[in-house]
Amino acid sequence: MKIGIYGGTYNPPHTGHMQAAKQAIQILNLDKLLLIPDRIAPHKEIPTGSPTPEQRLEMLRIAAGGQPEMEVSDIELRREGPSYSYQTVLQLKALHPDAQLVLLMGTDMFLSFHTWKNPEFILKNATLAVFCRGEKGEASTIAAKKTELEAQGAKVELVHNDVLPISSTQLRRLLAFQCADAFLPAGVGECIQKNGLYEVGA
């Protein structure tokens, strides 16, 4: 069984996340893709006033609804402290000892992978799958990092991502102007409005 791991803050989950997830399932031939919101992001600070981890989990479940290959997991929300990927890989390896684990990440995270907590453990127990757009200057940098890590015994796969790039930060700005619907999966906008998240709605 080939299981993908797609973590992040999902603050909020948007169409870019979901389209990238669908592409990863197809390109990597995944049997299952776990979408995992983190409790405390190790590499970024979650802005003050953001939804709680449980609210981000709820939005993600709504976003992934109706996608049989996707499963939303609260595995990192049930741990205290920073949500380190090596701990998630360790737990999933115990739950699925015979599965091939594939850890998805963006270009920035891939290029800074050496700064992660226990990167050697991750490389030993999971394949890295990197979303890339093939933009000028990016391809050679990614290729060099791929070669460097593969020399250490890593398995690295590249996932071409042709999704319109939008970050959660940009989306939160659009939410303030009530013009983010085009970038939100079905039902997520209603959840935000109903619960007064990001100071929108109630």
Side-chain angles (χ1 to χ4, degrees), residues 8-56:
T9 56
Y10 295 106
N11 186 29
H14 52 69
T15 52
H17 291 133
M18 304 318 296
Q19 290 301 321
K22 290 176 184 177
Q23 287 186 354
I25 290 169
Q26 181 178 15
I27 293 171
L28 299 170
N29 195 28
L30 301 177
D31 296 294
K32 181 192 297 185
L33 177 59
L34 298 177
L35 304 172
I36 306 178
D38 47 30
R39 174 173 290 280
I40 301 175
H43 300 285
K44 68 168 72 172
E45 185 175 343
I46 296 180
T48 302
S50 292
T52 65
E54 291 73 23
Q55 288 171 325
R56 289 187 283 114

Side-chain angles (χ1 to χ4, degrees), residues 88-191:
T88 302
V89 170
L90 177 63
Q91 286 183 268
L92 292 174
K93 197 71 179 174
L95 290 170
H96 308 283
D98 298 322
Q100 178 185 352
L101 300 180
V102 182
L103 182 63
L104 278 64
M105 65 187 67
T107 302
D108 290 348
M109 289 293 97
F110 178 61
L111 295 178
S112 63
F113 183 74
H114 59 283
T115 68
W116 290 27
K117 190 86 166 177
N118 291 342
E120 298 84 3
F121 178 85
I122 298 173
L123 294 181
K124 183 178 178 181
N125 291 282
T127 297
L128 304 187
V130 187
F131 289 117
C132 55
R133 296 179 56 81
E135 295 176 348
K136 186 177 181 180
E138 179 186 76
S140 59
T141 305
I142 292 174
K145 187 68 173 181
K146 182 175 185 288
T147 299
E148 174 192 331
L149 291 178
E150 287 176 337
Q152 301 173 31
K155 296 178 182 177
V156 181
E157 297 192 53
L158 303 182
V159 181
H160 180 69
N161 181 11
D162 56 12
V163 176
L164 178 68
I166 183 169
S167 69
S168 292
T169 301
Q170 293 168 322
L171 187 54
R172 289 193 297 272
R173 294 192 187 112
L174 292 175
L175 282 166
F177 293 98
Q178 307 277 325
C179 56
D181 287 352
F183 301 101
L184 293 171
V188 173
E190 290 85 343
C191 179

